[in-house]
Amino acid sequence: MTAAPPRQDAAAARARPERVLTGVPVAPGIAVGVAWLSAPGELSVPECPIAPDLVEGELQRFAEALALAQKQLRKLKTKAAQHPAAAAEELQVLLDARLQMLAGGRLVRGIEARIRDHLVNAEAAVRAEVGAIADSFAKMGDSYLAQRAADVREVGDRLVRALLRTPYQALQHMPAGSVLIAWDLTPSDTALLDPSRVGGLATAIGSRDSHTAIIARSLSLPAVVAVAEIVEVVEPGDLVIVDGTEGRVVINPTPETADLYAKRADDMARERLRLARIAKLPAVTRDGVAITLSANLELARDIPAALAAGAAGVGLLRTEMPVLNADALPDEDEQTRTLSEIVAGMNGRPVTIRTLDIGGDKLSAKLRRHLARELGSNENPALGVRGIRLGLARPEVLDTQLAAILRAGAHGSVRILLPMITSVTEVRAVRERLDRVARRLRRRGLAIANPLPPVGVMIEVPGAALAADALAMESDFFAIGTNDLTMYTLAIDRGNDGVAALYNPLHPAVLRLIQFTIQAGLRARRPVSVCGEIAGDPRYTSLLVGLGVHDLSMAPPSLPRVKERVRNLSARDAALRARQVMEEWDETAIAALLDSVD
Ligand code: PEP
Ligand code: MG
């Protein structure tokens, strides 16, 4: 990487016109600061043949460079540990993966072989071996392996720099208040970031789930990625605004634009403080009805956000998310580790673990190949083998997960939630399997949840909603999945833009199914929660509470606003209004009623 120090040449910067570039917003907030440009510089690398008698010396140089690179990475790990927990954890894994590559495996052996057999200097050997490995990954046309190819190249770059004794640019020396502009950031770069000095960042490449995005979010740094021209357009010292909420980067803003953003940044900071205060208050309506607000989670790394937002527990853990890109499903021990981390991280709060909801739109090409036999023709996947259907078609997959859930249940309170249930037979079949798995684990002498966890069902298929009274007899709780319930009730594919305008959870048919389910649950004294997207939208809070739901689960960032809504409403008035809503048959009138609630 090459970089120039920030140039505070305001007059020169002002002479250039304002430019606005757009990209993908990955970490919300607004940062204003002087651009610190960090672009990958071309290292001039000497590559040459060597005489056989120089081989030993060259191998020695390589061994020294290897030791130096390992030392640097270990130092970076110490630096990374100083970041907030979520960022530190993410970086440790990434840096460990790089250390692993330098630990004597294919890369190191390949480089040494090239020096010895091809009689080339160490730099040439590193370049050639890294190129060969990265190309073989890249050729497989898979985004996961493409990322591994980038990781190998980065490690190769570190080795070459170590051979040439050319240090990396020191990001930790960025002046306070800088905005970091880069082509991309490696985990090693981010380990060195001092969040108190960087206001925000923008990169030319990346995606919502790239390392840079994840780290920016966990460091709370406003960030925009995939801003195609950013490195060409921004000059060191330019005044830059990064709008990580809208995905915009303004370069050399006019005074009017700068004022506008300064005001927005103030408003956002005030709003953040207000919501942080709300997170600590109880979720109780004006007339004293307590509502449980939980978090929908996918990974352990979401736990700090859930706790900071005041989540009472995890109402929905989507276990399929971490494995969607895997070649095969993780084994029992690995699943136990993943789940135990989440259960322990929630510190005694209940964690509702949904068994794998694979199938439908949730299926990678790799898993599709792996599960081809069970998936059948799969021509209409949303109506095919999905969720519990797959679990029952591949009982060993379900058993492995049930075992992991039971073992994780030894570390805290867990509940088991079954996706895509349509009949009581499925619930009975799972319960039988659960009992058998529990007996087997006890025989192995392993600690498991005691008593066995409650088993609940997702109500997300119209048939399940209409059979809710029967399902209530067989299950311990309901979680209404309004995302799929809306899709299946209205025959509208969640992911199809062409029918997106017709997708409406306020359609009277959907509302009646929700109401029917809640009433069946309440009659049988089964807890009923809503965990679809509407649970996190304050617009629906009054209706859901009015229909009798006392349990809502949502993405952590939605929690404070929903809690604010809960605290402002009266459950009695909400029930009266819900009755009015349920008497309406016109969707527009229903929407108007919802919006008129005070
Ligand atoms: C739902 O369908 O509403 C739900 C919560 O499940 P998912 O979005 O994971 O399908
Ligand atoms: Mg669903």
Side-chain angles (χ1 to χ4, degrees):
M1 278 183 308
T2 58
R7 170 168 55 80
Q8 304 277 357
D9 188 350
R14 234 178 283 123
R16 302 200 309 125
E18 174 178 298
R19 281 279 306 263
V20 181
L21 302 179
T22 56
V24 177
V26 292
I30 289 172
V32 185
V34 178
W36 168 271
L37 205 59
S38 160
E42 267 307 304
L43 268 182
S44 119
V45 183
E47 296 187 29
C48 55
I50 55 170
D53 60 334
L54 293 181
V55 165
E56 277 316 309
E58 211 52 22
L59 284 172
Q60 182 57 31
R61 269 186 72 228
F62 173 62
E64 282 162 19
L66 186 61
L68 178 59
Q70 286 168 324
K71 192 168 142 205
Q72 288 169 344
L73 283 167
R74 278 193 289 270
K75 219 160 130 191
L76 285 171
K77 279 186 64 180
T78 318
K79 287 258 177 222
Q82 292 158 11
H83 282 328
E89 194 186 305
E90 177 80 20
L91 284 168
Q92 297 296 341
V93 174
L94 297 169
L95 294 170
D96 275 339
R98 282 147 182 75
L99 271 167
Q100 189 64 34
M101 284 185 217
L102 296 178
R106 172 178 169 191
L107 177 66
V108 171
R109 280 199 310 274
I111 294 167
E112 288 167 346
R114 281 177 195 270
I115 296 174
R116 218 179 295 112
D117 305 339
H118 297 212
L119 295 177
V120 289
N121 67 345
E123 287 86 344
V126 171
R127 281 276 159 107
E129 187 59 25
V130 162
I133 297 177
D135 284 351
S136 68
F137 282 159
K139 273 203 195 94
M140 294 183 200
D142 176 286
S143 64
Y144 173 80
L145 289 177
Q147 182 56 50
R148 298 290 75 75
D151 295 350
V152 176
R153 286 208 178 87
E154 184 203 326
V155 168
D157 197 42
R158 179 168 296 281
L159 282 172
V160 170
R161 280 178 188 273
L163 281 163
L164 297 173
R165 307 272 156 178
T166 312
Y168 278 94
Q169 175 211 352
L171 282 181
Q172 75 264 48
H173 299 317
M174 279 171 67
S178 306
V179 164
L180 177 59
I181 305 291
W183 172 254
D184 189 19
L185 290 176
T186 65
S188 316
D189 293 331
T190 31
L192 288 174
L193 274 187
D194 178 350
S196 67
R197 293 174 164 269
V198 190
L201 56 97
T203 60
I205 61 171
S207 67
R208 254 206 85 69
D209 294 315
S210 55
H211 303 320
T212 309
I214 292 166
I215 303 290
R217 280 197 290 276
S218 36
L219 294 178
S220 301
L221 290 177
V224 185
V225 302
V227 189
E229 296 173 279
I230 192 85
V231 178
E232 293 89 59
V233 173
V234 176
E235 287 185 13
D238 279 349
L239 188 64
V240 173
I241 297 172
V242 173
D243 179 348
T245 306
E246 301 284 334
R248 265 193 283 275
V249 181
V250 187
I251 301 132
N252 295 317
T254 62
E256 295 74 36
T257 310
D259 282 353
L260 202 81
Y261 273 96
K263 190 173 165 323
R264 271 192 56 203
D266 278 355
D267 291 348
M268 285 164 97
R270 256 197 305 277
E271 178 68 356
R272 259 200 310 280
L273 269 181
R274 198 177 65 78
L275 293 176
R277 272 197 296 270
I278 289 173
K280 299 196 180 72
L281 300 174
V284 180
T285 63
R286 284 202 328 259
D287 48 349
V289 177
I291 307 294
T292 305
L293 302 182
S294 307
N296 290 353
L297 295 196
E298 288 166 12
L299 297 165
R301 68 158 190 255
D302 305 330
I303 292 176
L307 294 179
V314 177
L316 168 63
L317 179 68
R318 290 181 162 107
T319 54
E320 60 279 1
M321 289 308 174
V323 302
L324 281 184
N325 282 317
D327 295 310
L329 298 168
D331 66 13
E332 181 186 312
D333 285 345
E334 195 180 334
Q335 291 191 43
T336 304
R337 266 195 302 280
T338 309
L339 295 177
S340 302
E341 190 188 347
I342 295 174
V343 173
M346 289 305 289
N347 274 327
R349 295 171 183 83
V351 178
T352 308
I353 304 174
R354 187 172 70 182
T355 59
L356 288 169
D357 185 19
I358 285 176
D361 58 339
K362 297 177 191 168
L363 194 64
S364 65
K366 268 182 271 180
L367 276 183
R368 188 173 296 125
R369 277 195 296 277
H370 184 67
L371 301 168
R373 189 167 47 83
E374 291 75 16
L375 290 170
S377 72
N378 210 31
E379 274 165 19
N380 209 342
L383 304 181
V385 181
R386 178 187 165 183
I388 203 60
R389 299 172 183 182
L390 182 61
L392 292 172
R394 273 290 282 270
E396 78 281 7
V397 170
L398 179 63
D399 287 359
T400 304
Q401 195 176 25
L402 291 174
I405 297 174
L406 288 176
R407 289 173 64 187
H411 301 277
S413 157
V414 302
R415 307 195 304 170
I416 299 174
L417 177 58
L418 311 177
M420 275 295 284
I421 286 286
T422 51
S423 85
V424 291
T425 325
E426 292 162 332
V427 188
R428 282 192 205 122
V430 175
R431 280 199 189 275
E432 275 167 28
R433 303 212 73 84
L434 183 68
D435 289 341
R436 220 170 308 148
V437 169
R439 282 199 297 276
R440 182 169 53 79
L441 293 175
R442 286 198 195 100
R443 276 201 301 276
R444 281 163 62 197
L446 293 168
I448 61 169
N450 189 15
L452 291 186
V455 177
V457 298
M458 289 289 295
I459 301 288
E460 50 186 348
V461 176
L466 291 170
D469 39 6
L471 286 168
M473 296 298 110
E474 295 290 335
S475 52
D476 300 313
F477 64 95
F478 286 163
I480 306 182
T482 47
N483 306 338
D484 279 316
L485 188 60
T486 307
M487 166 169 103
Y488 289 120
T489 305
L490 303 179
I492 290 163
D493 185 344
R494 276 162 82 164
N496 183 337
D497 301 349
V499 284
L502 297 172
Y503 184 92
N504 181 13
L506 286 179
H507 188 293
V510 181
L511 294 183
R512 284 173 198 172
L513 290 171
I514 294 175
Q515 185 186 40
F516 192 88
T517 306
I518 295 168
Q519 288 179 351
L522 293 180
R523 267 198 308 277
R525 299 187 187 284
R526 300 287 186 264
V528 180
S529 70
V530 175
C531 60
E533 289 307 300
I534 64 170
D537 184 343
R539 208 175 148 228
Y540 292 82
T541 310
S542 168
L543 174 64
L544 295 173
V545 170
L547 287 173
V549 175
H550 290 175
D551 242 306
L552 298 169
S553 190
M554 65 208 77
S558 306
L559 259 144
R561 283 202 179 84
V562 171
K563 189 187 283 183
E564 184 175 43
R565 184 75 198 99
V566 166
R567 292 175 57 81
N568 284 334
L569 63 83
S570 135
R572 241 178 73 87
D573 294 350
L576 292 174
R577 186 63 64 111
R579 208 168 302 153
Q580 271 177 292
V581 168
M582 296 311 294
E583 277 160 15
E584 268 298 343
W585 45 264
D586 179 295
E587 295 159 53
T588 321
I590 292 175
L593 263 176
L594 221 61
D595 292 335
S596 69
V597 177
D598 52 21

